[in-house]
């Protein structure tokens, strides 16, 4: 249990205070106090490791199953003894320009918060540390933890979206570069970028409805005076979602422009090939005529015959070259 419980603390009147080591005793003390709550943070627990915590806090078995299985959509579910919230934090790797998502589950109940984290990112130590330095916020109990965690996750969405915006500008510069680049790499990069944005949307879009419930509805185990704060989080989430929708549309436009440019370049190449083939066809045709072995071709016995044929072929090729050059085929 020590390996999966990252931190376990009791907060009384907004300040961290000593608590019994036994979870049941600590929870009873927090509830008896009236101004205290217990915050248990866990990292990727197994079923056996989480069983003790779920029994002590009487967590619903369906929510426990979701917390252990992971790979859940962002959601908010209300049970008899607790509120279950799923968030998907997003991380951006500058070295590989990739977006990865983790999972963060929160159980909010009477005088307790249990957080279960999956994935390498989205550590809550910074959020806990910040709240411990803001006792006036932490004094509001489990609701303050839910707000602080949601706010941190959503604010990071906007930061990651800004990073993706920089990558998008690089892709646009590559697509609309004056000189042609490797079309296969450009198309593969755009497609890979769209997959990153899709992964991002899976984290943000399903969270809009739960945040609206917290911001405008009456949700059990959430303090009613916290609605303005959740409205602020919902506004930031809407901004991030619109940002991502814009990125997706711009990527689609960039991909369409890239494919159109490929078609234009292929047409240019075909015109050039056709022009050179037409110029090559003239001497081929003339040579074919004089290779038919007719007896009565009067110019064959003339001293000017050979120079005249060469001159006709060269003149025809030069005329075609000038014509194609004028029309932009060469």
């Amino acid at each position: 249990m020590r390996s999966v419980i990252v931190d376990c603390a009791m907060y009384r009147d907004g300040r961290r205070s000593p608590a019994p080591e036994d979870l049941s005793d600590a929870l009873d003390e927090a509830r008896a106090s009236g101004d205290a709550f217990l915050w248990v943070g866990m990292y990727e627990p197994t079923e056996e490791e989480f069983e003790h915590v779920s029994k002590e806090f009487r967590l619903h078995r369906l929510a426990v199953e979701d917390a252990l299985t992971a790979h859940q959509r962002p959601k908010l579910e209300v049970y008899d003894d607790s509120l279950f919230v799923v968030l998907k934090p997003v991380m951006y790797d500058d070295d590989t320009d990739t977006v990865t998502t983790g999972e963060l589950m929160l159980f909010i109940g009477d005088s307790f918060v249990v957080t279960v984290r999956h994935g390498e990112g989205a550590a809550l130590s910074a959020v806990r540390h910040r709240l411990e330095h803001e006792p006036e916020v932490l004094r509001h109990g489990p609701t303050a933890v839910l707000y602080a965690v949601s706010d941190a996750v959503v604010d990071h969405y906007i930061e990651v979206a800004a990073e993706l915006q920089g990558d998008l500008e690089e892709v646009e510069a590559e697509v609309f570069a004056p000189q042609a680049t490797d079309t296969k790499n450009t198309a593969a990069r755009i497609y890979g970028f769209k997959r990153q944005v899709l992964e991002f949307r899976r984290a943000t879009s399903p969270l809009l409805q739960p945040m609206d419930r917290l911001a405008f509805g009456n949700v059990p185990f959430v303090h009613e005076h916290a609605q303005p704060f959740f409205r602020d989080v919902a506004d930031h989430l809407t901004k991030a979602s619109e940002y991502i929708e814009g990125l997706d549309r711009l990527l689609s436009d960039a991909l369409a422009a890239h494919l159109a440019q490929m078609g234009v370049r292929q047409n240019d190449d075909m015109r050039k090939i056709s022009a050179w083939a037409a110029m090559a066809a003239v001497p081929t045709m003339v040579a074919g005529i004089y290779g038919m072995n007719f007896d009565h071709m009067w110019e064959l016995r003339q001293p000017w015959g050979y120079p005249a044929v060469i001159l006709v072929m060269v003149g025809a090729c030069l005329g075609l070259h000038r014509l194609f050059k004028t029309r932009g085929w060469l």
Side-chain angles (χ1 to χ4, degrees):
M1 289 295 295
R2 292 182 179 178
S3 61
V4 297
I5 294 183
V6 180
D7 198 353
C8 178
M10 178 183 292
Y11 296 92
R12 195 187 308 274
D13 195 28
R15 300 186 182 278
R16 189 165 182 149
S17 62
E21 293 186 2
D22 184 76
L23 292 179
S24 179
D25 295 339
L27 183 59
D28 291 340
E29 182 177 330
R31 287 173 174 172
S33 174
D35 62 348
F37 72 96
L38 198 64
W39 182 357
V40 179
M42 307 185 71
Y43 176 70
E44 295 185 354
T46 63
E47 183 177 356
E48 293 76 12
E49 292 168 335
F50 197 54
E51 183 178 4
H52 175 66
V53 175
S54 62
K55 287 183 177 179
E56 292 294 341
F57 294 101
R58 297 182 181 179
L59 305 179
H60 197 279
R61 62 180 185 86
L62 294 178
V64 171
E65 182 180 348
D66 289 343
L68 294 174
T69 306
H71 304 292
Q72 304 294 320
R73 297 175 73 250
K75 59 183 178 179
L76 184 152
E77 295 181 350
V78 179
Y79 297 100
D80 293 336
D81 297 322
S82 63
L83 176 70
F84 181 59
V85 180
V86 179
L87 304 173
K88 292 184 76 70
V90 174
M91 289 72 68
Y92 178 81
D93 190 343
D94 290 325
D95 297 331
T96 59
D97 294 338
T98 56
V99 172
T100 56
T101 58
E103 291 195 39
L104 187 58
M105 291 81 168
L106 296 93
F107 295 88
I108 310 295
D110 181 15
S111 302
F112 73 86
V113 179
V114 177
T115 57
V116 181
R117 182 168 61 91
H118 293 268
E120 295 298 328
L124 296 179
S125 57
V127 177
R128 188 188 287 263
H129 180 74
R130 178 167 59 85
L131 281 175
E132 289 178 353
H133 285 78
E134 297 178 353
E136 68 281 359
V137 177
L138 198 56
R139 191 176 292 116
H140 292 86
T143 302
V145 177
L146 177 60
Y147 161 71
V149 173
S150 303
D151 186 58
V153 171
V154 172
D155 284 348
H156 195 60
Y157 286 164
I158 298 177
E159 295 175 7
V160 174
E163 295 285 350
L164 291 177
Q165 179 65 36
D167 291 341
L168 175 61
E169 292 175 358
E170 295 179 3
V171 170
E172 290 176 334
E174 183 176 337
V175 169
F176 297 104
Q179 297 182 353
T181 57
D182 190 344
T183 56
K184 291 184 179 180
N185 288 342
T186 301
R189 184 179 181 186
I190 296 175
Y191 181 74
F193 201 165
K194 284 186 69 67
R195 288 187 64 87
Q196 303 298 321
V197 173
L198 177 61
E199 186 72 15
F200 202 166
R201 290 179 63 182
R202 288 173 179 170
T204 58
S205 297
L207 188 59
L208 290 170
Q209 184 178 3
M211 280 300 153
D212 283 341
R213 289 181 62 185
L214 291 171
F216 301 101
N218 186 15
V219 181
F221 307 106
V222 176
H223 201 283
E224 59 180 3
H225 296 297
Q227 288 186 355
F229 298 94
F230 285 108
R231 280 199 292 269
D232 182 67
V233 177
D235 289 341
H236 291 177
L237 179 61
T238 301
K239 178 181 178 181
S241 182
E242 292 175 350
Y243 213 153
I244 297 166
E245 292 289 341
L247 288 174
D248 188 56
R249 288 195 298 268
L250 288 174
L251 279 172
S252 298
D253 294 341
L255 182 59
H258 176 67
L259 296 176
Q261 286 183 339
M262 289 179 59
V264 171
R265 290 167 184 168
Q266 289 176 350
N267 289 336
D268 290 341
D269 293 339
M270 289 301 299
R271 286 190 297 180
K272 291 179 181 179
I273 293 172
S274 300
W276 287 110
M279 289 187 289
V282 172
T284 302
M285 181 188 66
V286 175
I289 292 174
Y290 285 98
M292 290 187 293
N293 297 322
F294 288 111
D295 292 333
H296 302 288
M297 297 180 72
W298 63 273
E299 67 272 14
L300 294 178
R301 301 185 182 279
Q302 301 296 327
W304 48 264
Y306 177 73
V309 171
I310 295 297
L311 185 61
V312 169
M313 289 191 293
V314 172
C317 290
L318 290 176
L320 288 174
H321 185 275
R322 182 176 181 180
L323 175 64
F324 294 142
K325 196 76 173 179
T326 302
R327 294 187 176 182
W329 285 36
L330 293 174

